[in-house]
Amino acid sequence: MKFGILLTSVYDATTDPRVQRAEHEELVRTSEELGFDTMVCGQHFLGSELRYFQPVPWLTHMGGVAPTMRTATGIVLLSMVNPVEIAEQMATLDVLTDGRAVFGVGLGYSPHEFAAFGVEKGTKVARFEESLALVRRLWSGDTVDFEGEFFSVSGARPSVRPVQEGGIPVWIGGQAAGAVRRAARLGDAWYTPPFPTHDELRSLRRLFLDTRAEAGLPLDGDFPVRRELLIASSKEAGLQAALERYRARYETYRKWGLSGENTPVGDGAELRADIENRFILGSAAECVDQLGALGEQIGMTHFVYKPHWPGLSHRDAMAQLEEFGTKVLPELA
């Protein structure tokens, strides 16, 4: 199993942005030393609760801080952005990281972001699929004539192309059955978010493999997985910490429009059970057992770990990272 580190936001505009930069620099530098393989950075626009720096320039800089690590967008909101621009941005990132870029993409879910980009209701899937097709064509090196519903290119043969032979690997995110089928048909991998329960994750993984098999596509590619993981003195202590983090993080997701069946809900015992069904919790040894068992069951190739949470100090996040990197990672790598 390989391991990725998620460069997520825990601050809004009231915090000096240089603080966030310095903390992410320390995060990736330490992760590289601990043996992490990949850094992952997501995308949002017009956020007020959390500040997301745009992933391609952010990863370009962080890739220089930790030059042996792969750089993965996780995810670019491909149904909103211009495919010509993102194709050349990602190709530039691939050149600057010497072929270590991964193109993680998804639909997005926030109404205010779709509105800002003029994405009409009911078009995001079509825009996504068309954009991905055009991006791949632009990376091919062939002359591109493309007439789509949303984007058109005539006689284009861009000089800005990836250095990876065959283009940059595409990880497609999503948690609904349709999104998983789309990842199986159009992507190189399905990049799972942390919201499905463990049982839902197993079921969706089977759906991905079945869809690939029906299409005659390879079944042995990457499977990058995000699960929330907290190391504590016991499983009960980990659960209490998870409840605190849940209230800060998932309430923000709800404000952004993610309030469906895969977001933890309820209160009291119901919420505790929901958290246990989505998180990996407990001592380092317990986390090794839980993560290892899940990885074997679903064929996980990459585990993407998030140490930062809103309300958690950077020092405490780094302590979690150190414990994960010295007690969990070596047992599973």
Side-chain angles (χ1 to χ4, degrees):
M1 192 184 302
K2 295 180 180 179
F3 292 86
I5 192 79
L6 183 66
L7 307 181
T8 193
S9 174
V10 294
Y11 300 124
D12 62 17
T14 62
T15 299
D16 188 327
R18 292 167 292 190
V19 170
Q20 191 166 332
R21 183 189 69 194
E23 290 182 355
H24 280 189
E25 288 171 346
E26 183 181 12
L27 192 69
V28 298
R29 191 179 294 115
T30 302
S31 298
E32 184 181 41
E33 293 169 355
L34 291 168
F36 281 75
D37 171 80
T38 305
M39 64 182 81
V40 182
C41 182
Q43 183 175 56
H44 280 292
F45 297 98
L46 303 178
S48 56
E49 294 87 2
L50 297 174
R51 176 177 52 208
Y52 277 76
F53 292 111
Q54 289 305 304
V56 172
W58 201 247
L59 287 169
T60 300
H61 173 73
M62 295 299 165
V65 174
T68 67
M69 296 178 69
R70 293 203 298 171
T71 57
T73 58
I75 56 172
V76 160
L77 303 175
L78 191 57
S79 60
M80 303 179 200
V81 301
N82 184 286
V84 175
E85 180 182 8
I86 197 63
E88 297 209 2
Q89 282 200 26
M90 285 301 303
T92 301
L93 175 63
D94 198 52
V95 171
L96 293 174
T97 58
D98 198 22
R100 293 191 303 277
V102 176
F103 190 37
V105 293
L107 294 177
Y109 52 79
S110 297
H112 77 275
E113 291 178 310
F114 287 122
F117 283 89
V119 177
E120 296 180 4
K121 189 174 182 179
T123 66
K124 63 181 181 180
V125 172
R127 289 176 67 97
F128 175 92
E129 295 191 1
E130 184 175 305
S131 292
L132 183 56
L134 179 53
V135 167
R136 287 190 183 275
R137 292 277 301 278
L138 292 169
W139 287 344
S140 69
D142 300 329
T143 299
V144 178
D145 292 299
F146 188 96
E147 186 68 34
E149 181 181 357
F150 306 100
F151 305 100
S152 299
V153 171
S154 178
R157 192 171 185 178
S159 300
V160 182
R161 298 197 303 273
V163 297
Q164 293 186 70
E165 194 69 30
I168 300 171
V170 176
W171 292 357
I172 298 181
Q175 62 210 41
V180 174
R181 292 190 188 96
R182 189 159 48 249
R185 291 187 294 105
L186 303 179
D188 299 304
W190 170 43
Y191 175 46
T192 171
F195 309 113
T197 67
H198 301 320
D199 286 341
E200 288 168 343
L201 177 61
R202 296 182 187 98
S203 176
L204 290 170
R205 173 60 171 168
R206 288 194 296 271
L207 175 62
F208 175 85
L209 293 174
D210 289 346
T211 305
R212 296 280 288 185
E214 291 168 4
L217 296 169
L219 305 181
D220 58 352
D222 288 341
F223 183 31
V225 174
R226 270 198 62 201
R227 296 276 88 186
E228 307 295 18
L229 183 149
L230 291 173
I231 301 174
S233 58
S234 66
K235 191 169 184 179
E236 180 60 28
L239 179 58
Q240 289 302 318
L243 288 169
E244 295 174 8
R245 288 161 174 72
Y246 152 74
R247 291 186 178 98
R249 184 66 173 183
Y250 288 99
E251 285 305 315
T252 299
Y253 284 144
R254 282 200 178 95
K255 290 177 183 177
W256 291 352
L258 186 66
S259 56
E261 60 183 4
N262 291 319
T263 302
V265 296
D267 201 358
E270 181 185 10
L271 179 57
R272 288 167 62 92
D274 210 15
I275 292 292
E276 284 188 298
N277 287 331
R278 300 172 196 272
F279 281 61
I280 293 170
L281 304 164
S283 68
E286 289 175 313
C287 289
V288 168
D289 290 343
Q290 294 171 47
L291 185 57
L294 183 64
E296 289 182 5
Q297 293 165 11
I298 63 176
M300 184 192 317
T301 61
H302 297 70
F303 176 70
V304 179
Y305 174 57
K306 181 185 75 178
H308 274 140
W309 289 78
L312 184 71
S313 73
H314 177 63
R315 179 177 296 181
D316 288 341
M318 291 302 298
Q320 280 273 314
L321 174 63
E322 290 278 359
E323 191 161 13
F324 181 91
T326 57
K327 296 181 180 179
V328 178
L329 187 153
E331 299 297 320
L332 298 172

